[in-house]
Amino acid sequence: MSASVVAATRGAGVIVVLLAGWQWAAGTGRVDPEFASSPARIGTTLWHLLSTSSFWTVQLRATAGGFAAGWSLAVVVGIVLGVAMGLVGPIRDTLEPLVMGFYATPHIALVPLLIVWFGFGFQYKLVVVFIASVFWVLLNTIAAVREADEGLVRMSRAFGATRRQVIATVVLPGARSGILVGVRLSVSHGIIGAVIGEMFSSHQGVGFLVSESAQLGLIDRLLALVVLLAAVGTGTNAALAALQDRLERWRRPDTG
Amino acid sequence: MPSGDVCLRASGVSKWYRSGSGDTTWALRDVDLTVMRGEFVSLVGPSGCGKSTLLNCVAGITAYDSGTLTLDGAAIRGPGVGRAVVFQDAALLPWRTVAANVAYGLAVQRRTTAAQRRQRVEALIGLVGLTGFERHYPAELSGGMRQRVNLARALATEPELLLMDEPFGALDALTREQLQLELTRICDERRCTVVFVTHDINEAAFLSDRVVVMTGRPGAVHSVVDVPLPRPRRPELRRTSAFAEVEGQLWERLHAQAIEVS
Amino acid sequence: MTSGTVATRRRRHTFQSVRWRRIVLGGGLAVLLLLLWQWYSSRSAHNIFIASSPSRSWDSLVALVTTGSFWSVQLAATAQGLALGWSCAVAAGLLLGAALGYVRTLREALEPLLFSINCVPRLALIPLLTLWLGYGLTYKAVVVVIAGFFPVLLNTMDGVRRADNELMRMSRSFGAGPVWQLFTVALPGSLPSVFAGLRQSLAHSVVGVIGAEIWASSAGLGWLIANAELQVRTDRIIATIIVVTVVGVLLNETLRLVESRCTRWYPRERR
């Protein structure tokens, strides 16, 4: 057996053992399942949740809608502003202090403010998701644009390329990968932003379900939702990473 | 200058690797080598001929699979005692000063008191010409200076056998010659026994008492060339006909082993 | 290989002049926006409590900071939770991170588990924790631990794991055993990664404690925000947000200071 297979089984084994132990403890009453739940209960609750149509048509749709709107706006703003700030010094100097100021503010603290300003509706969710996503896109884009390969730039200029040509043919294509990384990271953060936003103030959506489950003391449902969120987060990240790999097959792995 | 008794003896030393599909690659096969105390022996040969592998086995950081390898009669089973290695990479701990780095080997081996360590460190820093740099950090030193610290650290442990693996390979030509000169002076002064790996014929001829030509696939000793040039070795030596003759001999042997292998 | 070579090609600006430009332009923009906001709020008939204004927020801030109970009750409550939680998170993260980074079998066994747990959105666990722990100091501290543990763990693990191969080989050649190697090579070498992890962790921990307080607590900066939200006093919310931000920045800068003291040996390229 190859080393990596051994490692994988070892790792998976630990998880299985822990889950089994938990289940056993809950099943035999060593740990109160009402309080601590159990893998079995979480599983059944999750299944039940996913097979309820209203979950999909009402809750998930609400979250997804808010996410889609806020995120796409964040991506557009992030890339446009990021490229501008990356390329043009004065723009960067003007905006960067403000951007960094907002970045330094713990976003969670802004949520109550947004609730007061935007109420409980769609607008609020859009802004929350926007704030959660935009910085990932923006900061990665700025960095990607600024870190153009010096050797390539020099080569291009040696051929007599104008500044515009250099930007179009070297800087921007080279930045594409970094920008995509920022976009990819912004997805999972945007999703979490949507859920957290809903948690604090909403009457629909996955986040609302979390908050409602807490208020009703439904620990099983809470944990089921948490598991679901974790799965969605990993899933989207993995899928996007794979997508990025495919798009960038020209990029050989860095060997040194 | 060799003094008569045997320091290192290798007899039938072999090392092999088995690949996943069952094929065996011989890194070293039946290597026989004797190094007398006080001798400076170089190992030369093409890339992949096993000279670094042999050095690592002597250093005790790579295990050998068969044969005997003894240092002062005691079989070599692991690193540390009696040997010190100077690698091409200076491997200085970046968070320690020069003085603390030179003391590192001594500290690991725990055979000295702090006061002894301090004394030795001071002496060695002077020996390699770095007085005044004791409190500098590696990041502030040039490549040549770092290798001097590397050498000082190795010598601090007063090893029976000094092992050097292409120590000057990464330096520019000027610094390299400078350090070769320093090395030969230091080794003469302290009567070190040295095994020196290099692919540079000129360097090998200049520094050594004997040069072992190795051949690759499998790694083994092809032939040994004596270098009966006078000591101390001065830079002008490189331009004498006697030196050219030694170099010529070495080239000849290298070509011969290349032809035999192919 | 950095620096915007294209953008700054023709201009040989010194570091100082860039800094001034930032202060002037950036500051100028900020002032402009504040003035616009002030004008908007004084002019329209909008509910002043909701829209608020720079002047009112400033008054609120001053009132807040000059109240004794702010320091002794609210800030203290948050600080307690943060300090308790973060120190636990750091201690656990460093120990486990060093162990996992150094011992391969341990790492292989636990890595999948840790990565799975890492994928769980930590703030979403806050409601659950209120159910289990109420909303006192323990609850707050636990939220902070959950928020701050992973960055320390992962970065420390990474740093120790990437112990410089050449340095390890050198150390072994002198006869150093695994324990010596851990303490003299792997751990000191991992310091840059460890500090990166600490900074990340601190930021997450601040978010954690505030989030926990906003959700459910009886005192603290987050509680102040939630309270102000209920009373629809935007000026108070903004004032508290400013305080929170300042606290966060101060903590971060302190950490950076500590880091620069500990790492004067960094090679030039890295600083």
Side-chain angles (χ1 to χ4, degrees):
Chain A
M1 262 213 274
S2 78
S4 57
V5 173
V6 172
T9 25
R10 219 181 253 150
V14 168
I15 297 180
V16 168
V17 164
L18 279 174
L19 288 175
W22 184 8
Q23 181 65 41
W24 173 81
T28 57
R30 254 160 241 267
V31 169
D32 180 5
E34 289 302 325
F35 196 65
S37 191
S38 78
R41 288 170 67 134
I42 297 177
T44 29
T45 318
L46 187 58
W47 177 252
H48 182 78
L49 194 66
L50 291 176
S51 35
T52 320
S53 71
S54 73
F55 174 74
W56 297 91
T57 55
V58 178
Q59 316 294 8
L60 205 58
R61 197 148 156 242
T63 310
F67 167 75
W71 181 75
S72 20
L73 189 64
V75 168
V76 169
V77 169
I79 293 183
V80 168
L81 214 57
V83 170
M85 285 174 72
L87 291 177
V88 186
I91 296 185
R92 182 171 60 246
D93 290 333
T94 315
L95 292 179
E96 204 164 48
L98 258 64
V99 166
M100 289 325 248
F102 268 110
Y103 188 57
T105 316
H107 300 173
I108 192 91
L110 294 172
V111 167
L113 185 64
L114 295 175
I115 294 175
V116 171
W117 276 348
F118 294 103
F120 290 78
F122 185 73
Q123 258 185 328
Y124 156 75
K125 216 177 287 192
L126 190 151
V127 174
V128 169
V129 173
F130 178 82
I131 292 179
S133 321
V134 78
F135 288 100
W136 293 91
V137 183
L138 182 64
L139 297 177
N140 273 288
T141 305
I142 296 178
V145 170
R146 295 200 69 185
E147 282 168 22
D149 188 327
E150 275 184 28
L152 293 180
V153 169
R154 190 172 42 195
M155 173 279 297
S156 165
R157 283 205 269 138
F159 277 107
T162 64
R163 189 185 141 120
R164 192 164 300 183
Q165 282 177 305
V166 174
I167 293 176
T169 57
V170 174
V171 178
L172 289 181
R176 198 170 50 199
S177 161
I179 296 178
L180 280 178
V181 168
V183 169
R184 177 161 62 92
L185 292 173
S186 72
V187 170
S188 43
H189 283 88
I191 294 178
I192 294 181
V195 172
I196 303 294
E198 285 172 348
M199 221 170 80
F200 281 93
S201 134
S202 196
H203 47 267
Q204 262 185 350
V206 177
F208 162 71
L209 278 182
V210 170
S211 147
E212 186 196 42
S213 308
Q215 273 155 15
L216 295 177
L218 300 172
I219 297 188
D220 299 332
R221 195 152 74 136
L222 244 177
L223 286 170
L225 286 165
V226 165
V227 168
L228 179 66
L229 286 171
V232 167
T234 353
T236 40
N237 218 4
L240 290 173
L243 187 64
Q244 183 168 9
D245 271 342
R246 282 202 108 214
L247 290 176
E248 296 188 340
R249 259 186 281 197
W250 56 265
R251 190 171 280 263
R252 294 276 162 268
D254 259 41
T255 45
Chain B
M1 294 265 27
S3 74
D5 43 291
V6 174
C7 180
L8 175 75
R9 193 193 296 278
S11 183
V13 172
S14 307
K15 180 170 180 62
W16 59 78
Y17 295 102
R18 221 160 247 137
S19 76
S21 47
D23 300 324
T24 315
T25 323
W26 294 87
L28 294 171
R29 193 160 186 170
D30 288 331
V31 171
D32 293 324
L33 181 66
T34 314
V35 178
M36 313 297 276
R37 195 170 310 283
E39 251 198 313
F40 195 117
V41 173
S42 287
L43 303 179
V44 302
S47 301
C49 70
K51 48 192 198 291
S52 287
T53 313
L54 182 58
L55 195 88
N56 287 342
C57 289
V58 176
I61 55 184
T62 306
Y64 54 97
D65 296 308
S66 74
T68 51
L69 191 58
T70 59
L71 182 70
D72 284 338
I76 291 178
R77 290 197 196 293
V81 182
R83 294 144 291 160
V85 191
V86 176
F87 290 106
Q88 185 171 112
D89 186 299
L92 303 180
L93 298 176
W95 48 88
R96 289 191 179 205
T97 58
V98 164
N101 263 295
V102 174
Y104 183 71
L106 285 174
V108 169
Q109 296 186 343
R110 284 184 277 197
R111 287 182 286 132
T112 51
T113 65
Q116 283 175 310
R117 274 205 289 278
R118 244 195 316 262
Q119 251 186 338
R120 278 201 216 177
V121 166
E122 209 183 298
L124 277 152
I125 290 183
L127 184 66
V128 298
L130 284 178
T131 322
F133 287 93
E134 291 87 345
R135 299 169 70 82
H136 279 63
Y137 285 97
E140 300 165 321
L141 304 176
S142 69
M145 291 163 85
R146 288 195 210 143
Q147 277 302 46
R148 288 175 203 244
V149 178
N150 193 0
L151 181 61
R153 176 177 57 194
L155 290 173
T157 59
E158 293 183 354
E160 304 279 336
L161 183 59
L162 183 64
L163 302 168
M164 307 183 81
D165 193 344
E166 306 204 45
F168 310 137
L171 305 171
D172 63 272
L174 221 56
T175 317
R176 206 180 311 151
E177 274 202 27
Q178 228 175 352
L179 288 182
Q180 284 166 359
L181 210 55
E182 299 247 350
L183 180 64
T184 187
R185 170 182 66 81
I186 292 172
C187 289
D188 285 347
E189 200 177 300
R190 296 177 67 113
R191 294 181 222 273
C192 302
T193 314
V194 184
V195 176
F196 188 98
V197 169
T198 180
H199 60 261
D200 184 342
I201 301 293
N202 189 295
E203 184 174 58
F206 184 73
L207 294 171
S208 331
D209 296 311
R210 278 192 301 148
V211 179
V212 176
V213 178
M214 290 186 70
T215 182
R217 280 179 286 231
V221 173
H222 175 267
S223 51
V224 180
V225 175
D226 277 328
V227 184
L229 299 168
R231 283 194 184 272
R233 303 275 168 93
R234 302 211 193 283
E236 309 81 71
L237 186 66
R238 288 188 219 255
R239 285 172 264 141
T240 62
S241 53
F243 189 82
E245 208 183 297
V246 173
E247 267 193 309
Q249 263 191 316
L250 287 170
W251 275 116
E252 206 189 333
R253 299 298 175 93
L254 276 173
H255 280 302
Q257 71 79 32
I259 292 174
E260 282 166 33
V261 163
S262 62
Chain C
M1 212 74 69
T2 58
S3 296
T5 47
V6 175
T8 61
R9 179 168 52 124
R10 288 211 197 86
R11 295 166 235 144
R12 298 274 174 268
H13 284 291
T14 65
F15 177 64
Q16 284 300 93
S17 74
V18 167
R19 217 152 160 227
W20 276 118
R21 226 172 36 180
R22 269 188 207 207
I23 295 178
V24 169
L25 287 175
L29 182 61
V31 167
L32 187 66
L33 290 174
L34 285 173
L35 286 173
L36 273 173
W37 183 16
Q38 183 75 28
W39 171 81
Y40 171 79
S41 62
S42 69
R43 185 166 190 274
S44 63
H46 282 114
N47 186 336
I48 192 59
F49 290 111
I50 295 185
S52 190
S53 73
S55 55
R56 290 180 60 98
S57 306
W58 175 257
D59 292 336
S60 248
L61 181 60
V62 171
L64 190 65
V65 173
T66 50
T67 323
S69 71
F70 167 74
W71 298 91
S72 56
V73 178
Q74 313 297 353
L75 193 60
T78 306
Q80 265 186 323
L82 186 60
L84 183 60
W86 196 61
S87 40
C88 292
V90 167
L94 287 177
L95 279 172
L96 207 60
L100 289 183
Y102 204 57
V103 184
R104 194 172 57 96
T105 44
L106 209 62
R107 180 172 63 245
E108 283 174 358
L110 292 181
E111 216 169 28
L113 175 68
L114 289 171
F115 278 147
S116 317
I117 300 182
N118 193 28
C119 291
V120 172
R122 290 181 266 287
L123 290 180
L125 292 174
I126 290 181
L128 181 64
L129 289 172
T130 7
L131 285 183
W132 281 347
L133 299 169
Y135 48 92
L137 179 62
T138 322
Y139 150 74
K140 243 181 254 191
V142 170
V143 172
V144 171
V145 168
I146 292 181
F149 172 70
F150 273 92
V152 180
L153 174 75
L154 295 177
N155 277 288
T156 307
M157 200 168 89
D158 196 54
V160 171
R161 192 175 167 182
R162 285 170 199 273
D164 188 318
N165 277 323
E166 253 90 58
L167 292 181
M168 295 293 267
R169 178 180 61 170
M170 174 279 295
S171 173
R172 196 150 65 93
S173 78
F174 281 109
V179 178
W180 254 95
Q181 284 186 304
L182 176 64
F183 282 100
T184 58
V185 180
L187 287 180
S190 69
L191 226 50
S193 293
V194 167
F195 271 108
L198 288 178
R199 270 184 277 127
Q200 246 185 50
S201 160
L202 191 56
H204 281 92
S205 298
V206 170
V207 170
V209 77
I210 301 293
E213 285 176 345
I214 293 179
W215 181 260
S217 68
S218 52
L221 296 175
W223 177 82
L224 279 175
I225 294 180
N227 198 29
E229 177 201 341
L230 286 174
Q231 298 179 1
V232 195
R233 290 292 304 267
T234 330
D235 54 330
R236 286 214 193 122
I237 300 180
I238 293 177
T240 321
I241 290 178
I242 293 178
V243 171
V244 169
T245 311
V246 167
V247 167
V249 168
L250 282 177
L251 288 174
N252 201 15
E253 287 309 303
T254 314
L255 199 54
R256 267 192 203 271
L257 210 69
V258 171
E259 182 181 0
S260 66
R261 281 289 155 79
C262 295
T263 55
R264 271 186 239 177
W265 48 265
Y266 271 10
R268 290 280 147 66
E269 317 86 59
R270 257 221 191 119
R271 282 211 212 111

